[in-house]
Amino acid sequence: MGSGNRMRRPVAIAAVIAAVTVFVVFFAFGARTNRYEPEPVRAENAVGDPTCLSCHNTKATFETTAHRLTSRSPTPGAIIGAFQSPENVLRTSNPRLYFRMDSTPGGFYQTAVFGERPDTTVRSEHVDIVTGSGRRGQSFLYWRGDRLYQLPVSHWTILGWANSPAYPDGRANFDRPIPPRCLECHMAAAQSISEPNNPAHNRYVPQGLMLGLMCETCHGSGKEHVKRERSVLHPVLGPAIINPARLSRSQRIDACALCHGGAIDLQSTPFTFVPGQKYVKKNAFYAPPTGPQVDVHGDQVGQLERSKCFAASQMTCLTCHDVHRVQHNVEELSGRCLSCHTTRSCGLFPTYGNALAGKCVSCHMPKLPSLSVISNYGGRAVRQPIRAHWIKIYPEFNTLAAIADSTKR
């Protein structure tokens, strides 16, 4: 009996080990094959940038980028315009109307002053949301109940206080509604209050707005990812997060095209798109690569796709752009061009030699006046200059003179 028990004991142990091994293998296989379905960011499934950066602290520079700062609460550090007299006043073409920007203990206000002294009336609205990082300018939104509207005065870096884009000069328009599609490119999330018969509806739950674009805008909601990473089983669990670097070329481009693909409406419902999905416009018409000029504002992808560089390579937006940090140095960006080209291959090299180094972007992607971002200011239409993404030769902008000037600095 004793010897029989001793013989059976190793067999029993081996059986237990085998059973545990089979269990672990099947568990790991099940975990790996339990397909992760990414979700768009919402208040209930988001973890926020501080949680993301607690592990990915090398990406902390994202917090200073235009994407992250594209909408904020109104604070002295967030608004770039001046609130001291006389810089806080915007005169209009109507002698009986001017605007005044006020900073008070209760917050920031835009005030329209009607009439002539001493018989004047005013309308003041509180600045509730700042949109725009301030590099080119900022516009401002205000709440009227649960409806969101744009204020009539914006701040342009090239002008100072000016009429908001496309607003008529000389009129106080406080009634431009802000629909969800506008917010989609300036916020991580917004909770709409449905109005089926109003395509430009602007009703929201104020507490449901998540200002600025977040890590989770491009990587998907992070709650499940954090849960898995903090689990003791995380080595056998999938990461439950989107890594754009692992998406296909078209998927990576579509992720950027959501906000940089032009003004044509999309088939998707606002705030439901996540990277990896197909970006589909309601209008299926796409201009051919040699088609008409597209606006430099908002359709960077449309311009890029018309470029020979794009057609002849596997480049994407991420080829040049590191979305985790601020990139203002055009000479650094020009260095990306040299991965396919050389300075000597430029037709202007015999004239300017190595002085062309770092000028690729300035010459082949110049700043052009926008066709849509226009301020009616001082009796004239002022167009916002924005970097072109149609990579080509622009002889009409006297590139030679621009290079000559830049070599003297």
Side-chain angles (χ1 to χ4, degrees):
M1 291 290 292
S3 61
N5 288 336
R6 286 193 297 271
M7 292 177 63
R8 285 194 294 269
R9 190 173 297 133
V11 175
I13 294 173
V16 171
I17 293 174
V20 171
T21 302
V22 170
F23 174 79
V24 170
V25 169
F26 273 95
F27 179 83
F29 179 78
R32 285 291 180 181
T33 56
N34 183 16
R35 183 172 176 81
Y36 162 66
E37 295 293 339
E39 294 183 343
V41 183
R42 300 186 302 274
E44 62 268 23
N45 65 15
V47 296
D49 285 6
T51 299
C52 299
L53 297 176
S54 66
C55 291
H56 305 281
N57 53 24
T58 58
K59 307 301 184 184
T61 49
F62 173 70
E63 300 300 294
T64 64
T65 63
H67 285 110
R68 184 68 185 97
L69 303 177
T70 192
S71 65
R72 289 174 279 177
S73 297
T75 64
I79 302 179
I80 60 176
F83 288 87
Q84 298 79 31
S85 179
E87 290 85 3
N88 66 331
V89 172
L90 172 64
R91 301 289 175 182
T92 73
S93 59
N94 180 354
R96 297 178 58 83
L97 169 68
Y98 69 90
F99 294 97
R100 187 181 69 240
M101 274 49 72
D102 299 314
S103 174
T104 74
F108 299 92
Y109 291 83
Q110 285 192 11
T111 300
V113 182
F114 305 90
E116 298 178 359
R117 291 182 178 178
D119 299 319
T120 59
T121 59
V122 301
R123 177 177 177 178
S124 290
E125 297 293 351
H126 187 263
V127 176
D128 292 310
I129 298 173
V130 181
T131 63
S133 66
R135 184 183 178 192
R136 294 190 182 92
Q138 293 178 325
S139 281
F140 309 95
L141 313 181
Y142 79 98
W143 290 106
R144 192 191 303 166
D146 59 9
R147 295 186 182 275
L148 201 57
Y149 296 89
Q150 185 176 12
L151 287 164
V153 179
S154 295
H155 189 278
W156 288 33
T157 54
I158 59 174
L159 293 174
W161 297 112
N163 293 308
S164 293
Y167 275 54
D169 190 20
R171 283 170 39 197
N173 181 6
F174 286 86
D175 299 317
R176 176 185 281 178
I178 302 298
R181 193 60 81 185
C182 290
L183 296 186
E184 188 174 30
C185 293
H186 291 276
M187 297 182 185
Q191 184 178 344
S192 297
I193 299 175
S194 178
E195 290 185 298
N197 298 322
N198 181 6
H201 68 279
N202 63 330
R203 295 183 65 200
Y204 306 93
V205 178
Q207 298 78 11
L209 302 187
M210 301 177 71
L211 301 182
L213 302 185
M214 300 163 48
C215 302
E216 292 160 278
T217 303
C218 295
H219 294 281
S221 60
K223 186 176 181 179
E224 179 63 21
H225 172 66
V226 171
K227 177 182 175 182
R228 295 189 184 191
E229 290 300 307
R230 290 175 176 174
S231 168
V232 295
L233 299 175
H234 79 270
V236 296
L237 295 172
I241 202 73
I242 300 168
N243 184 347
R246 295 179 181 175
L247 298 177
S248 68
R249 183 195 190 200
S250 62
Q251 288 173 325
R252 278 178 279 167
I253 293 170
D254 282 354
C256 299
L258 177 70
C259 295
H260 297 280
I264 297 177
D265 204 2
L266 308 180
Q267 290 187 0
S268 62
T269 302
F271 295 105
T272 61
F273 180 90
V274 292
Q277 292 180 351
K278 180 66 179 173
Y279 159 86
V280 182
K281 295 183 177 182
K282 283 188 176 179
N283 184 343
F285 172 76
Y286 289 87
T290 56
Q293 178 85 29
V294 292
D295 192 14
V296 288
H297 172 73
D299 199 3
Q300 287 84 358
V301 169
Q303 287 206 319
L304 182 64
E305 289 179 338
R306 288 162 169 75
S307 307
K308 290 183 179 179
C309 289
F310 180 88
S313 72
Q314 289 297 307
M315 71 181 297
T316 69
C317 306
L318 299 179
T319 300
C320 297
H321 293 288
D322 179 353
V323 297
H324 297 108
R325 64 186 180 93
V326 175
Q327 290 179 297
H328 292 168
N329 189 329
V330 294
E331 292 192 358
E332 177 190 348
L333 290 167
S334 294
R336 307 295 176 91
C337 303
L338 301 182
S339 60
C340 294
H341 306 277
T342 66
T343 305
R344 289 181 175 273
S345 67
C346 178
L348 299 178
F349 184 81
T351 303
Y352 294 101
N354 290 326
L356 294 172
K359 307 299 188 298
C360 305
V361 170
S362 297
C363 291
H364 299 287
M365 301 175 66
K367 289 186 177 181
L368 305 180
S370 171
L371 303 176
S372 58
V373 185
I374 305 169
S375 178
N376 298 301
Y377 177 82
R380 59 195 176 101
V382 179
R383 300 176 184 271
Q384 180 72 254
I386 300 174
R387 181 74 60 189
H389 278 66
W390 191 344
I391 308 169
K392 62 176 184 175
I393 296 173
Y394 291 84
E396 66 271 30
F397 287 93
N398 199 357
T399 306
L400 290 173
I403 295 174
D405 289 342
S406 66
T407 59
K408 296 176 182 178
R409 297 193 198 104

